Amino acid sequence: MPRNAESTAFRSALEVIRGVEPRVADAIGAELADQRESLKLIASENYASPATLLAMGNWLSDKYAEGTVGRRFYAGCQNVDTVEALAAEHARELFGAAHAYVQPHSGIDANLVAFWAILADRVESPALKKAQARHVNDLTEADWFALRRELGDQRMLGMSLDAGGHLTHGFRPNISGKMFDQRSYGTDPDTGLVDYDRVAEAAREFRPLVLVAGYSAYPRKINFRIMREIADSVGATFMVDMAHFAGLVAGKVFTGDFDPVPHAHIVTSTTHKSLRGPRGGLVLCGPELADQVDRGCPMVLGGPLPHVMAAKAVALAEARRPDFADYARQIVDNAQALAEGLLRCGAKLVTGGTDNHLVLIDVTGYGLTGRQAEQALLDSGIVTNRNAVPQDPNGAWYTSGIRIGTPALTTRGLGTAEMDTTAELIHAVLSQTSAGVGPDGTASKAKYVLDPALADKISRQASELLTGFPLYPAVELG
Ligand code: PLP
């Protein structure tokens, strides 16, 4: 492919868009410029390949395709069948799964598909059978009441939010918290690690229908073999949400006991985080749950997004290449270098380090809340996000932590030497930021004091760090 093919493709696309709504073309161009300039350490973000991005911008988007490959509720879906079958095949091969469902529009949707599949598999409910047999729009209010009554309060045991679990694992702001009676397992207060004996004890007491493992902000590996044994000991279905670390599973960094696929009954994921695909989700399972999972649309999903499934096929094909394994290894090497650099500077890290793609800094060591630290870093050109730490004294809004992750910078080509510098920049900002005071003179959890000259200096150093690692080097928008 000529090197300028990518430039031509994106330039032409923007020219066409500019002809209709120039402000959208400008925003797209500005987004590329912003991404090129920022030191992106958001653990859940990445940079999809040009091929993945381009696979989404086309007429596959125009097709309705409710149903599954070869069994659609719409005519003329042969090309959608091709891309969906390819995406599913790549997902099965990449992860060694018997069945892959690639329609979920996001990670939350993938989890909803999994929850309904598990309920349908495990709970005897005529109302659920009826709901599945009809289109959602055809259900009456009485049908929904019956569904609620028959499904009752099924139980889910998942990781607590402050230990790094996700909202969709049975917490109130998400529908999963209304579908399930939820209880959480936390981490050991001294080590910050999952204590499998405590999980087993909680499972024995609570007897959940579903045991969920997976996280958004836990910086360590989870032993899925042990978790499966715990699930089996109480007759629970074992579900793993690998949204964050799917790239590490795909790249064979997490193998054996740490690879969820051979151990879980059902695995869900996003495709856009460490896996580096388009925004979306997927579900993997064995033959026992496959039929229920395939009912995701229209049970809980709208019509599939064929253009995104095409992009999933492209990204999953990329992840099957040998260089993706090098990428995945480098993500972890970089996260460990970042953690070591921060520890050398005296930062306090949850669990004292990392063995995946993310590091969680406890910024109370700097006398800050997560909110203050996040903003001070942003002023200094370093993009992170605040996150709760275990037993967080500042709650889920202000928090006491900063979550940083390496998938995006690793895609840009930064290595362990640049992570040392990144750690020093982060420490320089946090150690020279202090908590501000509110209008009534009391300590504020949001206001902070940072010398703008220092913020400018660090911003310049952050952009210098990126100069040797251009983002989308073959794309020149002119
Ligand atoms: N599951 C986990 C563990 C996540 O971290 C996230 C996103 O942050 C999700 C699910 C939801 O993904 P999405 O934003 O694609 O719905």
Side-chain angles (χ1 to χ4, degrees), residues 276-320:
R276 208 164 58 179
R279 303 200 74 78
L282 56 81
V283 182
L284 307 172
C285 62
E288 316 74 36
L289 283 171
D291 282 352
Q292 297 297 351
V293 164
D294 280 352
R295 293 168 191 248
C297 167
M299 184 67 191
V300 294
L301 299 177
L305 309 175
H307 56 309
V308 180
M309 293 197 291
K312 286 175 186 172
V314 171
L316 290 162
E318 288 171 345
R320 290 183 66 191

Side-chain angles (χ1 to χ4, degrees), residues 115 156-185 212 214:
F115 296 149
M156 169 183 290
L157 180 63
M159 188 181 242
S160 67
L161 276 183
D162 68 349
H166 192 256
L167 280 179
T168 54
H169 301 174
F171 295 95
R172 287 275 162 76
N174 180 257
I175 185 80
S176 59
K178 314 200 191 297
M179 289 165 74
F180 289 96
D181 177 9
Q182 200 265 15
R183 194 177 285 182
S184 304
Y185 56 86
V212 184

Side-chain angles (χ1 to χ4, degrees), residues 111 114-115 117-119 121-122 155-159 169 180 185 194 196 199 203 208-215 221-242 245 256-268 283-286 288-289 293:
N111 285 348
F115 296 149
I118 294 168
L119 287 171
D121 180 55
R122 298 286 309 275
R155 294 175 179 176
M156 169 183 290
L157 180 63
M159 188 181 242
H169 301 174
F180 289 96
Y185 56 86
V194 170
Y196 297 100
V199 179
L209 180 83
V210 193
L211 173 65
V212 184
Y215 50 78
K221 294 197 266 201
I222 288 185
N223 188 314
F224 298 116
R225 178 185 53 77
I226 299 179
M227 293 295 277
R228 171 64 186 260
E229 283 167 13
I230 296 171
D232 284 348
S233 73
V234 295
T237 298
F238 180 39
M239 166 174 158
V240 176
D241 176 351
M242 65 171 182
F245 55 87
D257 292 353
F258 306 101
D259 175 353
V261 181
H263 301 292
H265 293 100
I266 188 160
V267 176
T268 59
V283 182
L284 307 172
C285 62
E288 316 74 36
L289 283 171
V293 164

Side-chain angles (χ1 to χ4, degrees), residues 158-441:
M159 188 181 242
S160 67
L161 276 183
D162 68 349
H166 192 256
L167 280 179
T168 54
H169 301 174
F171 295 95
R172 287 275 162 76
N174 180 257
I175 185 80
S176 59
K178 314 200 191 297
M179 289 165 74
F180 289 96
D181 177 9
Q182 200 265 15
R183 194 177 285 182
S184 304
Y185 56 86
T187 45
D188 182 283
D190 296 323
T191 61
L193 301 174
V194 170
D195 177 339
Y196 297 100
D197 291 338
R198 298 283 288 276
V199 179
E201 199 181 301
R204 270 195 307 276
E205 270 175 23
F206 191 51
R207 308 210 66 89
L209 180 83
V210 193
L211 173 65
V212 184
Y215 50 78
S216 302
Y218 179 68
R220 296 291 177 177
K221 294 197 266 201
I222 288 185
N223 188 314
F224 298 116
R225 178 185 53 77
I226 299 179
M227 293 295 277
R228 171 64 186 260
E229 283 167 13
I230 296 171
D232 284 348
S233 73
V234 295
T237 298
F238 180 39
M239 166 174 158
V240 176
D241 176 351
M242 65 171 182
H244 257 263
F245 55 87
L248 306 184
V249 180
K252 311 286 179 261
V253 178
F254 285 1
T255 55
D257 292 353
F258 306 101
D259 175 353
V261 181
H263 301 292
H265 293 100
I266 188 160
V267 176
T268 59
S269 186
T270 54
T271 46
H272 49 274
K273 303 184 201 269
S274 56
L275 194 54
R276 208 164 58 179
R279 303 200 74 78
L282 56 81
V283 182
L284 307 172
C285 62
E288 316 74 36
L289 283 171
D291 282 352
Q292 297 297 351
V293 164
D294 280 352
R295 293 168 191 248
C297 167
M299 184 67 191
V300 294
L301 299 177
L305 309 175
H307 56 309
V308 180
M309 293 197 291
K312 286 175 186 172
V314 171
L316 290 162
E318 288 171 345
R320 290 183 66 191
R321 293 182 183 162
D323 60 350
F324 194 87
D326 301 336
Y327 165 64
R329 180 74 263 159
Q330 191 64 46
I331 290 177
V332 179
D333 288 351
N334 281 352
Q336 288 176 339
L338 197 50
E340 280 157 24
L342 285 162
L343 289 171
R344 272 198 302 279
C345 294
K348 194 168 144 195
L349 305 184
V350 173
T351 78
T354 180
D355 37 39
N356 57 23
H357 62 299
L358 69 89
V359 177
L360 194 56
I361 311 174
D362 181 342
V363 293
T364 57
Y366 292 101
L368 300 172
T369 63
R371 171 109 188 250
Q372 291 160 333
E374 177 191 79
Q375 284 303 312
L377 288 167
L378 192 63
D379 292 349
S380 314
I382 302 173
V383 189
T384 63
N385 67 280
R386 65 185 187 279
N387 208 102
V389 300
Q391 295 97 42
D392 200 310
N394 288 317
W397 177 251
Y398 292 107
T399 82
S400 302
I402 283 291
R403 186 184 69 164
I404 49 184
T406 53
L409 290 185
T410 307
T411 294
R412 265 184 105 140
L414 280 78
T416 52
E418 289 75 31
M419 293 303 121
D420 286 346
T421 313
T422 304
E424 283 162 16
L425 296 180
I426 291 172
H427 174 73
V429 175
L430 297 182
S431 59
Q432 292 178 71
T433 301
S434 50
V437 284
D440 57 354

